[in-house]
Amino acid sequence: MTETMTGAEMVVRALADQGVQHIFGYPGGAVLPIYDALFQQNSIEHVLVRHEQGATHMAEGYARSTGKCGVVLVTSGPGATNAVTGLTDALMDSIPMVCITGQVPTHLIGSDAFQECDTVGITRPCTKHNYLVKDVNELAQVLHEAFYVATSGRPGPVVVDIPKDIQFASGTYVGRENVSHKTYHPKVKGDADRIRAAVELLATAKKPIFYTGGGVINSGPEATRLLREFARLTGAPVTSTLMGLGAFPASDKQWLGMLGMHGTYEANHAMHDCDVMLCVGARFDDRITGRLDAFSPNSKKIHIDIDPAQINKNVKVQVGIVGDVAHVLDDMLRVWKASKVQIDPEGLQSWWAEIDRWRAKNCLAYRPSPDTIKPQQAVERLYELTKGPDTYITTEVGQHQMWAAQYYKFEEPNRWMTSGGLGTMGYGMPAAVGVQIAHPEALVIDIAGEASIQMCIQELSTAIQYKLPIKIFILNNEYMGMVRQWQQLLHGSRYSNSYSEALPDFVKLAEAYGATGLRCERPDDLDATIRAMVETPGPVVVDCVVDKMENVTPMIPSGRAHNDMLLGDASEDRIENAISDEGKMLV
């Protein structure tokens, strides 16, 4: 069935046909026809942001916590360029997003018109795909294609740039059922021969490990279920990237914790010493591998990924399987059961004994203080007092992000939203807004730093407008903590511009926006403050003053292998011992 309508009406109809319930945006001259069409309907709720970067992070939080596609609407020129950071963030972390941008009328394109920019050119490197629509009769098809591209295969952001005259023009609308992409058809089923080869290789292991990533969560709940079943069937230990936390329950005895630069001692040593590695939905990025030529040198590797470009990109593997994680794991399980194979019990028992010796290091131990809140302690108490299936955690980027990953334990997927690949300061609070919009009855907490939170602090106004009870838990050490840590270890403690001078009074700032502000400075007051944060209606900002000079440990310095880790002050391998004879650290 086809209908005639304006381009602006097509945008709204296409969003409704795609099942969109919420969009995040900011109006401007080049998208006013679309905003006018939105005004005349009530099936889609528009969330008014305070900055277009905030809109993209809200859409990311919404998408990551639901598995749906996040949608953004911004105007031309600065509206589109302000969205670039969030688009890049979504591309790096494989987050499905459709970003609709306004553009100057087609006859003005290239004339340096008011609020004109080359949106397609600017966003080409930071999107999965983008479109400039010059014919209103193609608009509906492009919009439906955009959702298909954003959500299929390896998810990612797609931009649809719509000139203003196309929004006013009338044309023919086609429904999503009449649209199929001519060339893009990602492979979801893995090659049967490679799956059999992977099963045969895994069955030879004496020291196996499952290395899991965000691709497990992107694949959906069935992938999570299959991963857990396969891990229990094989008895192999499981570790995860930052983006994969929650795919395997943190309370499970087979869980080794997060791996990588700030991963656990046992996870990193197990990765280094394993003989067969099953990589599921991860991409061997530099924060995981450390020194490439020393990465898991004696293991044979199996890699499952929906993106064929990732196979053998960073690390050479013996068996590469292109396909959706859920489909591939389902087939692997079927073959494993039918073959009636198992990993050598004696070898596995010896492997777990070795892992237990690494666990005995207790690498996340820290020394509490009676007078000063340790950041690790703050996150531990936050976890104990807020844990549950209806709690969602977002973070900004920095030391607090790593402490959150280490000390907040996730049992289920889609409860952890953080900026992994791009490392975007300012991500957490708008992401929390997006999560709360998607889950209005849930407890949503942004674990923040006093520097990162100021990047998008204006989105607190959005939370107030929409009565969203997000909780912002700031670990305030008065430094850009991760920058300071590296300056301490690499640059002779010369803290060049990393001290957070002229900090606002966060309690007064929260109150100025209409939120509740709380401050906690002593360990004895920590539990009461967290309880008050949770029990207080509406948005709450907690200024939790923590130890200024605490470092994130464990740590693999850049240029080192997984078995060359630095531990914290509760261990004999103190991080300070990494200072070389020249007074510099290899980071």
Side-chain angles (χ1 to χ4, degrees):
M1 181 178 179
T2 59
E3 297 180 61
T4 299
M5 61 185 72
T6 68
E9 291 168 337
M10 287 184 192
V11 171
V12 175
R13 174 68 70 84
L15 295 178
D17 283 356
Q18 289 290 336
V20 174
Q21 296 174 293
H22 301 94
I23 64 174
F24 305 90
Y26 201 91
V31 284
L32 286 184
I34 298 174
Y35 272 88
D36 191 51
L38 282 170
F39 185 83
Q40 300 178 61
Q41 58 83 51
N42 55 19
S43 63
I44 300 168
E45 181 183 5
H46 177 276
V47 178
L48 179 64
V49 305
R50 301 308 187 260
H51 189 284
E52 291 87 354
Q53 180 181 343
T56 55
H57 295 327
M58 289 179 198
E60 287 186 277
Y62 187 95
R64 186 73 175 171
S65 67
T66 62
K68 300 177 182 178
C69 188
V71 183
V72 174
L73 175 61
V74 298
T75 194
S76 63
T81 58
N82 281 346
V84 164
T85 297
L87 291 170
T88 310
D89 195 274
L91 182 69
M92 294 283 280
D93 287 344
S94 304
I95 308 298
M97 181 193 302
V98 170
C99 179
I100 298 168
T101 59
Q103 184 55 272
V104 301
T106 51
H107 68 279
L108 291 179
I109 292 176
S111 70
D112 295 332
F114 177 67
Q115 289 195 332
E116 179 192 1
C117 74
D118 179 7
T119 300
V120 167
I122 290 169
T123 62
R124 185 174 288 117
C126 64
T127 56
K128 187 175 176 182
H129 194 58
N130 59 17
Y131 300 85
L132 172 60
V133 182
K134 292 186 176 181
D135 182 346
V136 69
N137 291 301
E138 297 176 358
L139 178 56
Q141 166 136 353
V142 165
L143 287 164
H144 294 311
E145 275 191 17
F147 278 88
Y148 170 74
V149 172
T151 57
S152 61
R154 180 181 178 181
V158 176
V159 163
V160 181
D161 198 31
I162 311 175
K164 191 170 184 179
D165 57 321
I166 301 300
Q167 299 170 41
F168 278 123
S170 294
T172 301
Y173 177 81
V174 293
R176 62 180 298 185
E177 66 278 0
N178 298 319
V179 173
S180 63
H181 201 284
K182 294 179 181 178
T183 58
Y184 182 59
H185 301 287
K187 183 180 179 182
V188 295
K189 291 283 288 182
D191 181 84
D193 290 339
R194 290 176 180 268
I195 287 171
R196 280 193 293 273
V199 167
E200 290 169 4
L201 180 56
L202 188 59
T204 68
K206 294 184 183 297
K207 299 192 291 185
I209 192 167
F210 283 20
Y211 154 39
T212 64
V216 180
I217 295 171
N218 285 342
S219 183
E222 182 65 5
T224 299
R225 185 191 69 78
L226 291 166
L227 170 68
R228 296 177 182 199
E229 182 182 351
F230 200 19
R232 291 182 181 117
L233 194 63
T234 61
V238 182
T239 183
S240 169
T241 66
L242 181 73
M243 296 302 295
L245 295 176
F248 197 80
S251 61
D252 196 284
K253 64 182 181 180
Q254 290 174 243
W255 173 243
L256 303 186
M258 183 177 71
L259 80 157
M261 178 171 280
H262 294 296
T264 66
Y265 190 83
E266 53 268 30
N268 284 326
H269 276 262
M271 282 286 281
H272 186 272
D273 286 2
C274 70
D275 61 1
V276 177
M277 177 191 302
L278 176 61
C279 174
V280 188
R283 57 188 177 88
F284 294 100
D285 73 283
D286 62 292
R287 290 288 165 125
I288 295 302
T289 62
R291 205 177 90 207
L292 271 175
D293 63 356
F295 172 68
S296 195
N298 300 314
S299 69
K300 294 180 179 179
K301 302 171 182 67
I302 304 161
H303 188 185
I304 303 169
D305 204 293
I306 189 73
D307 182 0
Q310 296 304 317
I311 306 293
N312 292 317
K313 178 180 178 180
N314 295 326
V315 171
K316 175 71 175 176
V317 300
Q318 279 64 45
V319 182
I321 304 172
V322 177
D324 175 72
V325 165
H327 284 85
V328 175
L329 286 180
D330 190 37
D331 288 340
M332 285 188 74
L333 263 167
R334 192 177 298 111
V335 173
W336 184 275
K337 292 174 181 177
S339 304
K340 297 182 179 177
V341 293
Q342 64 173 346
I343 293 174
D344 175 49
E346 289 186 9
L348 196 58
Q349 184 178 10
S350 176
W351 180 225
W352 275 110
E354 191 171 2
I355 289 170
D356 286 340
R357 287 193 290 273
W358 292 324
R359 277 178 166 165
K361 280 277 189 180
N362 197 16
C363 67
L364 295 181
Y366 62 92
R367 291 176 178 164
S369 164
D371 303 313
T372 305
I373 300 172
K374 292 290 185 178
Q376 303 96 319
Q377 177 188 18
V379 177
E380 278 188 332
R381 295 314 302 157
L382 182 69
Y383 166 71
E384 290 297 335
L385 294 170
T386 64
K387 62 184 177 182
D390 294 324
T391 299
Y392 294 76
I393 300 296
T394 70
T395 77
E396 312 293 332
V397 168
Q399 285 183 315
H400 62 275
Q401 176 191 29
M402 294 298 104
W403 284 315
Q406 291 173 333
Y407 294 94
Y408 207 100
K409 311 300 182 184
F410 296 94
E411 298 295 308
E412 299 296 334
N414 306 105
R415 304 304 194 275
W416 165 251
M417 275 58 63
T418 196
S419 174
L422 194 62
T424 306
M425 293 174 71
Y427 169 92
M429 190 173 70
V433 170
V435 175
Q436 193 78 77
I437 288 285
H439 307 277
E441 303 303 319
L443 174 61
V444 182
I445 304 170
D446 172 29
I447 299 177
E450 85 291 332
S452 279
I453 192 63
Q454 295 186 80
M455 290 278 186
C456 289
I457 191 72
Q458 71 282 346
E459 301 309 332
L460 191 53
S461 180
T462 301
I464 294 294
Q465 178 179 342
Y466 294 93
K467 299 179 174 60
L468 304 174
I470 63 171
K471 314 302 180 186
I472 301 165
F473 191 75
I474 301 172
L475 301 182
N476 185 349
N477 58 13
E478 298 184 4
Y479 277 98
M480 300 174 205
M482 197 61 83
V483 174
R484 181 210 54 75
Q485 178 169 331
W486 283 50
Q487 287 174 333
Q488 175 191 350
L489 300 171
L490 178 61
H491 298 285
S493 296
R494 294 183 293 278
Y495 302 127
S496 177
N497 290 281
S498 58
Y499 181 63
S500 298
E501 296 188 62
L503 281 174
D505 181 325
F506 287 109
V507 172
K508 290 182 178 178
L509 184 60
E511 292 170 349
Y513 274 104
T516 300
L518 304 171
R519 180 174 289 114
C520 183
E521 300 181 70
R522 292 188 53 80
D524 292 346
D525 299 327
L526 192 53
D527 282 17
T529 303
I530 293 170
R531 289 192 182 98
M533 176 190 77
V534 173
E535 294 166 3
T536 300
V540 179
V541 178
V542 174
D543 184 11
C544 184
V545 180
V546 299
D547 191 318
K548 294 178 175 56
M549 302 302 289
E550 194 75 7
N551 286 329
V552 178
T553 57
M555 180 177 180
I556 303 174
S558 293
R560 304 277 185 90
H562 274 78
N563 62 344
D564 192 7
M565 296 190 72
L566 309 173
L567 302 184
D569 62 4
S571 165
E572 70 276 9
D573 300 323
R574 297 182 60 165
I575 195 167
E576 288 84 352
N577 295 336
I579 305 299
S580 70
D581 292 339
E582 293 78 19
K584 294 183 178 180
M585 184 179 175
L586 297 173
V587 291

